[in-house]
Amino acid sequence: MSFDDFTCKGVQFRAKVHSEDRLKFVENEFEVYDDDVYNVTYPKSGTNWMIEILNLIKHDGDPTISQTVPIYERSPCIEVTQAADQVDKLTRPRIISSHLPYNFFPKSFSTSKAKIIYTMRNPKDVIVSFFFFRKMYCYHKVNGDFQKSVDVFLEGNGGYGSWFNHLKGWMQMKDDSRFFFITYEELLKDHRGSVIRLCKFLGKNLTDAQIDSVVKHSSFNTMKDNKMSNLTEMPFDMLDQTKGSFLRKGVSGDWKNYFTVAQSEYFDRVYREKMKDLNMSFYCEQE
Ligand code: PPS
């Protein structure tokens, strides 16, 4: 735990970007609109990729907004203190991101018709992505080697708490018609098919050409070249671009390059134990 972390309902948050007041406001007072779309993820699971896709779908494949408005303003994180104004300025239908666990989400969602898209990623790749992100993220430097990243993850001591609790919490919504579940690995394997499924869920009828445009402008290389999407415009004292790239590799299975056999076997044992009560299997487990 770093000096500026705090705990709320047993989950760790960062004082630089979170506050108890904002968390309480979001949970108890934030007004969810029926046409809202929530992009929910555990961090490093494809949040920004989904922001890009959803905004392109909203604008029928037109990339103008993607090329002119920073990605964190297009779909700000509802719980981030500094993003409160940006959330208030969103045009409808609002596309709002969140890493919040299920039991922190706005209570007014329960009686709304709003939609939630939950993206899951192979947790071993989440750990690798985090490991490299922490090197450039100045607000929360975790000193330590890769083993430390694995330990923090498995103990649930990082920001937003336990990955396992996050997934299990949100899976309570799996049979709700307002809930769409997808994995990062499915997006990678069938980008276009995933966009079509998302359009169907959102009730958007796009032409083939418009779908092609969504896919093209949300591809890894296009996003990496787009300064409105690659986070190079973030303040340097927050994201040190000399220490890495936010759009780092964008692949699945990169964990094989960093986990030792022993780390992987240990991870698998803990994973099986922690997931046994969920009784579900996930596509990304095969990657
Ligand atoms: S954050 O900080 O929690 O909001 O990060 P998040 O956006 O959830 O995850 C960052 C990882 O997503 C990858 N990414 C992509 N992969 C494939 N295609 C596209 N278009 C794409 N956009 C972002 C990004 O590269 C990070 O993964 P790694 O493994 O570090 O490359």
Side-chain angles (χ1 to χ4, degrees):
M1 185 152 165
S2 97
F3 68 93
D4 62 353
D5 285 345
F6 68 95
T7 301
C8 184
K9 292 202 272 186
V11 174
Q12 235 187 80
F13 292 93
R14 293 176 188 138
K16 284 264 195 201
V17 288
H18 302 129
S19 68
E20 291 223 36
D21 282 354
R22 179 70 187 165
L23 291 174
K24 280 193 184 131
F25 171 82
V26 166
E27 185 180 345
N28 299 305
E29 291 170 54
F30 185 80
E31 191 186 349
V32 169
Y33 300 149
D34 282 342
D35 58 349
D36 281 349
V37 176
Y38 290 86
N39 167 31
V40 179
T41 59
Y42 190 81
K44 314 320 290 180
S45 302
T47 325
N48 285 271
W49 193 4
M50 190 54 79
I51 293 177
E52 196 73 85
I53 291 172
L54 294 177
N55 276 276
L56 285 159
I57 291 176
K58 173 175 169 177
H59 297 287
D60 301 328
D62 182 345
T64 310
I65 299 288
S66 297
Q67 291 163 350
T68 50
V69 181
I71 195 155
Y72 43 85
E73 287 180 19
R74 278 179 256 150
S75 299
C77 245
I78 189 174
E79 65 272 15
V80 170
T81 320
Q82 295 86 338
D85 287 350
Q86 291 159 6
V87 173
D88 293 342
K89 284 186 201 144
L90 287 173
T91 61
R92 293 173 69 172
R94 303 184 299 183
I95 300 167
I96 299 176
S97 297
S98 180
H99 297 310
L100 284 175
Y102 181 69
N103 61 335
F104 284 77
F105 206 63
K107 288 192 173 135
S108 62
F109 174 78
S110 63
T111 51
S112 78
K113 296 185 178 125
K115 295 183 172 170
I116 292 178
I117 292 153
Y118 186 93
T119 310
M120 173 198 184
R121 186 180 190 184
N122 183 330
K124 288 178 178 168
D125 282 333
V126 170
I127 293 175
V128 173
S129 185
F130 249 130
F131 175 67
F132 286 99
F133 180 69
R134 284 188 182 118
K135 291 178 194 283
M136 59 185 306
Y137 188 58
C138 309
Y139 287 178
H140 190 80
K141 286 254 187 297
V142 170
N143 297 319
D145 55 11
F146 186 69
Q147 179 65 47
K148 171 89 179 166
S149 282
V150 177
D151 291 342
V152 167
F153 184 93
L154 289 177
E155 287 157 13
N157 285 337
Y160 292 99
S162 157
W163 179 91
F164 299 96
N165 292 345
H166 200 277
L167 181 72
K168 287 183 201 176
W170 281 106
M171 283 305 105
Q172 292 172 63
M173 283 211 61
K174 70 177 169 21
D175 298 323
D176 192 307
S177 60
R178 298 168 300 170
F179 187 78
F180 184 95
F181 176 83
I182 192 162
T183 62
Y184 178 94
E185 293 72 18
E186 284 171 284
L187 277 167
L188 271 180
K189 189 160 190 193
D190 186 8
H191 191 168
R192 196 172 195 283
S194 301
V195 169
I196 291 170
R197 288 204 294 131
L198 281 161
C199 286
K200 194 162 174 229
F201 173 69
L202 296 169
K204 285 283 288 182
N205 284 317
L206 266 55
T207 63
D208 284 352
Q210 288 168 336
I211 288 167
D212 288 344
S213 179
V214 173
V215 173
K216 175 178 169 198
H217 293 286
S218 59
S219 73
F220 182 81
N221 287 336
T222 307
M223 285 182 66
K224 198 171 169 69
D225 288 343
N226 177 1
K227 67 178 190 318
M228 292 294 141
S229 299
N230 61 18
L231 301 195
T232 51
E233 302 282 290
M234 294 287 263
F236 200 78
D237 62 354
M238 182 183 186
L239 217 52
D240 182 348
Q241 306 287 340
T242 65
K243 304 263 166 60
S245 297
F246 182 80
L247 278 109
R248 191 185 59 90
K249 275 195 184 170
V251 299
S252 72
D254 195 32
W255 65 267
K256 290 168 197 153
N257 296 316
Y258 298 96
F259 277 68
T260 63
V261 172
Q263 278 169 336
S264 177
E265 286 176 358
Y266 177 63
F267 182 97
D268 291 345
R269 274 200 304 280
V270 177
Y271 182 92
R272 274 196 298 276
E273 180 57 31
K274 286 190 187 280
M275 295 285 272
K276 67 174 188 242
D277 51 337
L278 193 55
N279 210 13
M280 288 174 74
S281 56
F282 297 98
Y283 178 75
C284 63
E285 289 166 347
Q286 301 152 21
E287 299 298 301

